[in-house]
Amino acid sequence: MQNRAQLLKTLYLTQGKFISGEKLSHRLGVSRTTIWKYIRYLREQGYRIESRTNQGYRLQSTPDLLIPEELSWRLTSDSFGREIIYRAEIDSTNRLARELADSYDEGTIVVAEKQRAGRGRRNRDWYSPAGTGIWCSIILQPVFRPEKAPLLTIIASLAVSRALEAKGLNPKIKWPNDVLLNGKKICGVLSELNADLEGIKYAIVGIGVNVNQSEFPEHLEDKAGSIYLITGKTLKRACLLVEVLDLLEDYYTQLTNDPRTDLLEQWKSRLTMINKRITINSQGRIYRGIARDVSERGELILETESGERRSFWAGDTSLV
Ligand code: BT5
């Protein structure tokens, strides 16, 4: 895969011009027949690569795919995305990541073009159509205590927000795990933990981003949006995922090593609902009050109507 990724990178960087099979084989240290096989593989994936006698190969157009070859040469991370498990279709990337968590290194990602049974919190459905969103789960083996685990969701939504801000967008975060654009949910995070008294065995951080969808099923229309629907522009999903993974690795390292990191402050500064009147549905009960803050461990602090402060680990919030 690394060689194919190198070939793709070279074709991208010489886009518009031809590069000879000989040069390619020299650069990659493989035979010209192998180069030809790689080219055939990329064409099968939907890349249009022109070949001309005596001139070589030229990239004409590329599909929007999350295949490892698209991701790996763009990544600058040390461990995040260094191992990529790719599926054109899967039930849920979080499910496969859980299954593989014990046998793969930290930072391994499971990514799919389509999920048949994508999941949200409390086993809710996550709509994951083919080829338009980012459906990705990261396997982590954190060394910190389980109490800190909610911060994994926080850094994931922060990484998505920062990647969107770098594109000139203005995302907001809705506690605990949504990223909103123009009030529409364009991203959700599902973190799952396997921990015992000794500590965390592994954590799976599942990130779903609606990138290029042009429509949603009726039951989601009011709530869900995609970057395309909001900005009118399609994005290359691989580029966005790479930006998110690079940022997330940096935040995860800070969370692990730097007790004075201001990641929580950065995240809080993007929150909607602070100082607003909300309801929170937590474990089947509904509480009303004003959302005042988020604690160091990621709990939402609600000032109830009687003036009492209550903190919540989990729940669904809405504005009143
Ligand atoms: C979430 O749950 O927001 C977490 C979503 C995590 C999805 C990723 S994709 C990769 C990985 N593999 C998985 O199987 N999951 C993760 P929650 O806060 O419970 O929100 C779920 C609710 O959001 C649903 O009940 C719908 O109302 C709504 N919803 C479903 N699909 C959506 C979509 N594509 N975009 C926006 N909202 C959606």
Side-chain angles (χ1 to χ4, degrees):
M1 190 279 288
Q2 281 312 333
N3 271 340
R4 287 199 306 247
Q6 273 309 315
L7 171 66
L8 188 58
K9 176 181 180 180
T10 312
L11 290 173
Y12 265 111
L13 298 181
T14 50
Q15 204 158 9
K17 292 193 211 108
F18 281 94
I19 180 161
S20 71
E22 195 182 327
K23 246 191 197 158
L24 286 170
S25 95
H26 189 72
R27 235 182 243 185
L28 271 69
V30 297
S31 71
R32 288 179 65 174
T33 323
T34 307
I35 295 289
W36 166 243
K37 278 189 195 147
Y38 292 165
I39 296 276
R40 197 173 58 193
Y41 167 84
L42 289 172
R43 281 181 176 155
E44 279 163 13
Q45 307 303 308
Y47 292 82
R48 282 185 52 220
I49 302 166
E50 194 183 348
S51 55
R52 261 192 217 167
T53 348
N54 297 330
Q55 292 195 61
Y57 302 102
R58 178 167 76 164
L59 192 57
Q60 290 180 301
S61 71
T62 63
D64 178 27
L65 289 174
L66 296 173
I67 54 173
E69 288 81 1
E70 277 286 349
L71 300 173
S72 66
W73 71 266
R74 292 190 163 90
L75 280 165
T76 59
S77 55
D78 288 329
S79 67
F80 281 33
R82 285 294 151 207
E83 180 95 45
I84 300 167
I85 296 158
Y86 171 81
R87 298 282 187 275
E89 193 177 325
I90 199 172
D91 51 354
S92 150
T93 56
N94 262 43
R95 205 271 313 142
L96 181 60
R98 280 199 312 270
E99 189 182 307
L100 302 177
D102 287 331
S103 34
Y104 278 80
D105 287 339
E106 174 154 275
T108 299
I109 64 169
V110 179
V111 64
E113 301 290 344
K114 171 184 175 174
Q115 295 185 118
R116 289 185 304 274
R119 287 284 165 255
R121 291 174 300 147
R122 295 196 276 128
N123 217 25
R124 288 186 281 223
D125 287 340
W126 181 258
Y127 172 65
S128 324
T132 51
I134 293 173
W135 325 125
C136 176
S137 302
I138 304 146
I139 297 173
L140 298 173
Q141 283 118 16
V143 290
F144 46 71
R145 301 287 313 154
E147 301 84 78
K148 227 172 147 178
L151 297 176
L152 292 173
T153 302
I154 282 177
I155 58 171
S157 50
L158 182 62
V160 172
S161 301
R162 292 285 291 266
L164 295 175
E165 285 164 15
K167 303 192 180 309
L169 302 172
N170 185 21
K172 294 281 170 218
I173 297 173
K174 181 171 169 240
W175 182 90
N177 68 336
D178 297 354
V179 180
L180 311 178
L181 265 186
N182 287 6
K184 296 274 176 127
K185 177 163 174 172
I186 57 121
C187 164
V189 180
L190 176 66
S191 300
E192 298 183 278
L193 208 61
N194 184 335
D196 60 19
L197 292 174
E198 311 264 297
I200 302 177
K201 286 190 182 146
Y202 65 77
I204 307 296
V205 177
I207 302 178
V209 189
N210 302 322
V211 184
N212 293 327
Q213 287 98 328
S214 53
E215 56 184 9
F216 282 89
E218 213 178 303
H219 72 282
L220 291 175
E221 256 174 11
D222 288 346
K223 181 175 177 181
S226 73
I227 300 171
Y228 169 71
L229 280 172
I230 289 155
T231 64
K233 289 193 193 115
T234 55
L235 281 183
K236 202 169 176 63
R237 289 174 300 144
C239 295
L240 182 61
L241 176 54
V242 162
E243 282 151 24
V244 170
L245 290 171
D246 283 342
L247 285 165
L248 190 55
E249 179 177 276
D250 176 26
Y251 299 161
Y252 180 66
T253 311
Q254 286 185 45
L255 204 60
T256 308
N257 300 327
D258 179 4
R260 287 209 304 267
T261 172
D262 69 346
L263 289 169
L264 187 64
E265 292 308 315
Q266 291 186 39
W267 182 84
K268 278 201 225 172
S269 70
R270 291 164 173 82
L271 275 180
T272 58
M273 292 195 175
I274 292 296
N275 294 328
K276 302 253 168 66
R277 204 162 274 287
I278 64 159
T279 60
I280 170 163
N281 183 338
S282 182
Q283 292 175 322
R285 282 193 61 185
I286 295 182
Y287 303 82
R288 282 168 201 284
I290 299 175
R292 284 300 184 202
D293 201 357
V294 172
S295 76
E296 277 191 2
R297 298 193 303 182
E299 301 141 303
L300 181 75
I301 298 168
L302 185 80
E303 188 182 300
T304 62
E305 276 154 358
S306 59
E308 175 203 3
R309 282 188 171 222
R310 275 191 96 111
S311 30
F312 295 88
W313 276 105
D316 292 305
T317 50
S318 18
L319 286 174
V320 182

